[in-house]
Amino acid sequence: MPINSKLFQIILFFIFISTFSFAQKARIKGVVLNENQLPIENVSVSSPTSNTITNKNGFYELEISANVEVTISYYNSSFKKSTYKVNLKPNEDFEWNPILGTFTETIETVVISGKNRKINGATALSPVLLRRIPGGNAGVENLIKTLPGVYSNNELSTSYAVRGGNYDENLVYVNEIEVYRPFLVRSGQQEGLSFTNTDMVQNIDFYAGGFQAKYGDKLSSVLDIAYRNPKTFHAGFEASFLGGSIFAEGVSKNQKWSNITGVRYRNNALLVKSQETQTNYKPSFLDVQSLFNFNLNTKWNFSFLGNIAQNNYNYQPTSRQTNFGTISEPIALLIQYEGQEKDSYTTFFGALKSVFEPNKNNIYKHISSVYHTVEQEYYDILAQYRLGQVDANIGSETFGNVVFSRGIGSQLNHARNNLDALIVTNEIKGNHKLNDDNAIEWSFKHNFENIRDRVVEWEVIDSAGFSLPNPELEYINDQPYNPYFGPLAPYQNVRAKNNTTINRFNSYLNWNYEGMIGSHTYYVNAGVRGQSWMASNNGISGNNQFTFSPRAQFILKPNWDKEMVFRFSVGVYNQPPFYRELRASDGSLKPNVKDQKSIHFVFGHDYSFQMWNRPFKLVSEAYYKTMTDVNAYTIDNVRIRYEANNDATAYVYGIDGRLNGEFVPGVESWFTFGYLKTEENQGGKGFIARPTDQRLKFAILFQDYMPNIPSLKMYLNLVYNTGLPGGSPAYADPYLYQTRLNDYRRADTGFSYVFKDAKLGGHRKWLANFSEFSVGFEIYNMFNNQNSITNTWVRDVYTKTQYGVPNYLTTRTFNLKLSMRI
């Protein structure tokens, strides 16, 4: 039957119109976030022709008209309305992640860590506080040291110990990529810059124990940091007597490319020159970091994180005088130095990450990273000392001077240490949402580690003209009364050359579930990790070893009038040895060192409440850890030297508490308390305190401002820790030397005048181009407490007495700081 020509033309016309209309559509999608970068549910997203709402994860997808400018509106009754104009090409997929502000008007951007703390036990920290809180090493670690369970007694170091663990037992991730510290660092003043650039940080989560199986194989803690994905152009600059930093971030016009880059320089001369040792100190700590993001489409995202760091440490001591002893018997140590120390730590780091999200329920990731560090530690320092008795007679003309020498001698330290390490990592991971209540995560990862290391260290000590032999040799030295017939040997001598290769395969499977018991909500997280590794050194392979680590967490959030959360975590936490744990105190490598094993029991309670009509939170945790196959160690300043024999067992238990909230309206502060006890049993000889048995900890982080002048702000960072076991010679038997260092007391304070920020000021014309502008004045060690990190041991040749002379840290120091952002 013939088709009517008019009808055929009409059909063709409608087909053309339908096809043309379909071709003129585009899609915008993303995640709606609050000011703390957390997703917001039930946000209305609308355009003139369509609308939708965000789901539980803050995700939305909206179809809009193409080739025309469309205004997208985002609205939720608890947040400020936001709009965004976009003009997309036909069939273009565009990602936009808006940030909605709250209606609460305060004097500044406030992030109440307790309020936004994740329910799984992580402590969420504000990136704003990182820049504002004063400290000798301002940044992430400076803030972490005020948290419960975290201990440190060296303001020059970014290292910290968590709940009885040592400095090598903490994981650090940036954008899901594990980062590393230098290997050869042996004192805080050598460290330079930590990896984390505070100008680039978006989120910080810290776990002090009982963490999930998705995090790696360490015994103590996890620091999980996420860098920003820029949405608009911003730049900033900061300068002080300790150095400076600059950053810039931006995004391409089509929102597909973004970049944030930061440059930092630090000079610790201000702090080091406040110590008792007079030096010519020429440090140079510099690093450059950059994060690139590329959104291919709404399903594929690629990012690259790169870092280059150059830390040069040139140290030439000249003299030192330390007064110690008692009021009735004051003693002084006077030292004249010759020689110098030249250290260098150059690191290169690059990581490529791709994320594929075929739909909202499945995410796949691939991460490849390369870490390369070249380190050298060269020094020849001769110290000629005099141990003298100080005149304590107030009326004497020589009051305060050394009037009688009780011992003289010299000490020559030599080192030629070189290390070259390469670590290559490849990982595939997935995240699958099975339904609204169930989700699973998994990962397969391979690590290749190659470390080339040469250790040459020796020390010669001469007391009153008599060379002291190695204390580990079984010869009696009774000079000057009797001649010494033993062999002449350096007081300490370490020589080794290692070429070590380690291959690791590890994997995890993690399950998350949310359910209801009546009207009460509960969460279950259960998972398991496994790792297989084998080490070889100088062509000789060790045994292939395997670890298995099941972990579980149960969280209950009752439907009560008072907002409370109860948590219980239990799990096995194994730590396969890294290179430093394989290297014994004599420098030799032990490829068959086993993983250290621990079982964690953690019970936590969160209580959120209102006081003075302001939000507060009390967080408390009790924990117990039992450990086997412990690799015993000694700590010399911040350098750890292991025995590499797995012949010890240990335990630790304690309680932590933290009260945080708006003690002053609009700004966050917190008070921290911690108690722990940890002991170890080496070779069945009985339990003694571990080197990190720091019993009590109190910390205060406090912010304030003048009510009549809200632009004038004050920040206080106060830490008190009881003394650590230590101060004995590194070679000493810990069962014979159970002395403790003095308590660590430190108070840093800062004052700043804010000319402009998100909430204050900014009406002057010269501030028009700035989003933030402030000038600050800081006082480090405000009360000028004498904190010591180690002891220098000096021998009185006549009485055979050894004096532990404290090595004091920094004294009171002043700093000026200028900060601006656009």
Side-chain angles (χ1 to χ4, degrees), residues 468-691:
L468 299 185
N470 190 321
E472 295 181 355
L473 299 177
E474 296 182 356
Y475 294 92
I476 298 176
N477 179 19
D478 193 28
Q479 299 179 88
Y481 304 105
N482 294 298
Y484 174 72
F485 296 102
L488 291 176
Y491 194 67
Q492 293 188 71
N493 187 19
V494 179
R495 293 177 181 268
K497 190 173 183 180
N498 300 312
N499 188 347
T500 306
T501 300
I502 307 173
N503 276 286
R504 305 180 193 270
F505 297 89
N506 56 62
S507 179
Y508 72 78
L509 180 65
N510 209 50
W511 171 61
N512 293 281
Y513 178 77
E514 178 181 346
M516 300 291 293
I517 303 176
S519 60
H520 310 300
T521 306
Y522 72 92
Y523 306 84
V524 175
N525 177 275
V528 62
R529 290 190 65 86
Q531 181 174 147
S532 173
W533 83 94
M534 184 174 68
S536 63
N537 185 56
N538 297 328
I540 301 175
S541 298
N543 299 327
N544 189 32
Q545 303 186 57
F546 178 77
T547 66
F548 182 75
S549 306
R551 306 171 189 175
Q553 184 181 59
F554 179 79
I555 302 169
L556 177 64
K557 187 176 182 181
N559 185 23
W560 295 344
D561 293 336
K562 295 182 178 180
E563 186 177 345
M564 293 189 178
V565 175
F566 298 90
R567 297 186 307 276
F568 177 71
S569 302
V570 61
V572 176
Y573 295 82
N574 298 332
Q575 181 166 319
F578 201 49
Y579 174 74
R580 295 214 306 184
E581 295 157 85
L582 294 171
R583 197 177 77 175
S585 56
D586 62 358
S588 63
L589 193 109
K590 312 294 185 183
N592 290 322
V593 172
K594 296 182 290 185
D595 58 299
Q596 301 183 83
K597 303 175 178 64
S598 71
I599 302 176
H600 291 200
F601 301 91
V602 182
F603 178 78
H605 173 244
D606 297 354
Y607 173 38
S608 301
F609 59 95
Q610 293 282 323
M611 186 166 61
W612 308 314
N613 293 320
R614 298 194 291 272
F616 286 84
K617 172 161 282 193
L618 176 63
V619 179
S620 55
E621 289 189 336
Y623 58 90
Y624 177 80
K625 295 190 285 187
T626 178
M627 290 164 275
T628 57
D629 290 329
V630 173
N631 196 345
Y633 60 90
T634 59
I635 298 179
D636 181 11
N637 207 329
V638 297
R639 179 168 61 174
I640 298 176
R641 285 190 163 171
Y642 292 91
E643 296 298 327
N645 54 18
N646 296 110
D647 74 336
T649 59
Y651 69 87
V652 57
Y653 64 81
I655 57 173
D656 290 328
R658 177 170 172 253
L659 175 64
N660 71 300
E662 295 184 31
F663 292 92
V664 175
V667 291
E668 177 193 16
S669 302
W670 62 68
F671 294 81
T672 294
F673 164 78
Y675 169 82
L676 72 80
K677 182 178 181 181
T678 180
E679 292 184 325
E680 65 185 8
N681 184 348
Q682 298 183 21
K685 293 184 289 186
F687 281 95
I688 57 172
R690 303 191 78 198

Side-chain angles (χ1 to χ4, degrees), residues 93-286:
D93 287 317
F94 179 74
E95 182 176 350
W96 178 245
N97 304 314
I99 299 176
L100 302 188
T102 63
F103 285 112
T104 304
E105 296 294 337
T106 60
I107 67 165
E108 62 180 26
T109 302
V110 180
V111 180
I112 302 298
S113 303
K115 182 177 179 181
N116 297 304
R117 186 184 185 203
K118 293 185 177 180
I119 200 170
N120 60 10
T123 300
L125 300 174
S126 162
V128 177
L129 289 179
L130 301 183
R131 306 194 307 269
R132 295 181 177 174
I133 301 304
N137 259 311
V140 176
E141 294 82 5
N142 181 51
L143 206 59
I144 287 175
K145 291 177 182 180
T146 67
L147 297 180
V150 183
Y151 296 80
S152 174
N153 66 336
N154 188 346
E155 65 272 6
L156 291 172
S157 173
T158 58
S159 302
Y160 53 88
V162 180
R163 292 181 177 174
N166 68 39
Y167 307 132
D168 290 338
E169 296 179 4
N170 306 304
L171 284 163
V172 180
Y173 291 94
V174 174
N175 285 12
E176 301 181 90
I177 305 156
E178 186 176 356
V179 297
Y180 306 91
R181 296 176 61 244
F183 289 77
L184 295 182
V185 165
R186 61 184 176 84
S187 68
Q189 60 196 34
Q190 294 175 321
E191 288 188 43
L193 296 161
S194 73
F195 183 90
T196 308
N197 188 324
T198 56
D199 289 329
M200 302 170 65
V201 170
Q202 173 178 289
N203 290 329
I204 308 167
D205 291 331
F206 180 74
Y207 301 80
F211 42 89
Q212 301 176 8
K214 67 178 182 179
Y215 294 111
D217 297 297
K218 295 281 188 179
L219 295 180
S220 294
S221 73
V222 174
L223 177 60
D224 192 0
I225 297 170
Y227 279 175
R228 278 196 310 279
N229 185 2
K231 305 302 179 186
T232 58
F233 174 78
H234 289 288
F237 170 79
E238 184 176 290
S240 75
F241 290 154
L242 289 172
S245 65
I246 186 171
F247 81 94
E249 60 182 274
V251 63
S252 64
K253 187 176 181 180
N254 62 3
Q255 299 290 319
K256 287 185 175 294
W257 287 91
S258 68
N259 171 256
I260 179 170
T261 299
V263 181
R264 297 179 295 167
Y265 171 78
R266 183 173 177 84
N267 186 330
N268 279 345
L270 180 70
L271 296 173
V272 172
K273 288 183 178 180
S274 73
Q275 296 177 294
E276 290 182 328
T277 301
Q278 301 301 308
T279 67
N280 294 318
Y281 181 62
K282 298 177 182 179
S284 176
F285 303 142
L286 176 71

